[in-house]
Amino acid sequence: MKKYFFVIIVFTLLKVNAQENSFYGELGGAGPIFSLNYEREVIDDSALLLRIGLGYLSTWSYEGLTIPIGAYHLIDLNKGNHLELGGSYTFGLGRDNDIGTGFFLPAIGYRKYKEGRKGFFKITFNPVLYNDEPIEVIPWGGISYGVRF
């Protein structure tokens, strides 16, 4: 519960300074099968983005809701093309409603804003890192489409 309280506070405080918001669907990625996500620019005209989403997973010995929370930095390559670097931690909310299990997904990707910067497409490579010892790695990726408002 403390983790969610912290996230709510951060997003509330950032609302004062943030200008750009995004909503997108992601196939694969941090969801990790499918997720709907809200993303916020941290400071006006910055390249630092925070995201929170809601997904569902029924594989890897787990079935239940997933909540990906992440931070990303965009590097402007030219004409709406961006390199995306960052990562997410995805919490699991399983049948027993036990929050806390989850996995980390570092990310590197490509993001393309359409003219007018309202719509965007992104594709990412984000391997799943889970377990403590030894750390297990699953190669993974995602594809997303969304809108900015």
Side-chain angles (χ1 to χ4, degrees):
M1 186 65 173
K2 290 179 186 178
K3 293 174 186 175
Y4 289 101
F5 182 71
F6 175 76
V7 170
I8 290 169
I9 288 174
V10 169
F11 273 88
T12 302
L13 291 174
L14 294 175
K15 185 175 183 180
V16 175
N17 295 326
Q19 181 176 338
E20 294 286 337
N21 299 288
S22 301
F23 182 76
Y24 60 94
E26 184 172 44
L27 184 60
I33 301 300
F34 179 79
S35 63
L36 295 174
N37 300 276
Y38 171 73
E39 188 174 74
R40 177 180 288 282
E41 185 179 52
V42 177
I43 301 169
D44 289 343
D45 298 321
S46 75
L48 183 60
L49 307 169
L50 296 180
R51 81 180 264 180
I52 188 166
L54 184 63
Y56 185 79
L57 176 63
S58 63
T59 186
W60 295 332
S61 305
Y62 174 84
E63 183 174 357
L65 294 176
T66 58
I67 303 167
I69 298 172
Y72 299 89
H73 177 70
L74 298 181
I75 298 171
D76 189 0
L77 299 175
N78 179 350
K79 298 182 181 180
N81 298 294
H82 294 81
L83 175 65
E84 183 175 305
L85 302 171
S88 294
Y89 188 85
T90 300
F91 294 93
L93 179 58
R95 291 182 182 175
D96 57 0
N97 293 330
D98 180 30
I99 299 174
T101 59
F103 41 90
F104 178 68
L105 298 101
I108 184 169
Y110 167 78
R111 185 182 291 221
K112 172 68 175 174
Y113 288 115
K114 292 185 176 181
E115 267 187 57
R117 293 181 47 122
K118 293 298 178 192
F120 69 92
F121 162 83
K122 72 176 195 164
I123 187 165
T124 56
F125 171 69
N126 45 347
V128 178
L129 308 177
Y130 68 102
N131 287 342
D132 290 331
E133 292 189 25
I135 293 177
E136 296 185 44
V137 179
I138 298 174
W140 198 248
I143 187 167
S144 307
Y145 184 79
V147 295
R148 293 179 66 113
F149 53 95

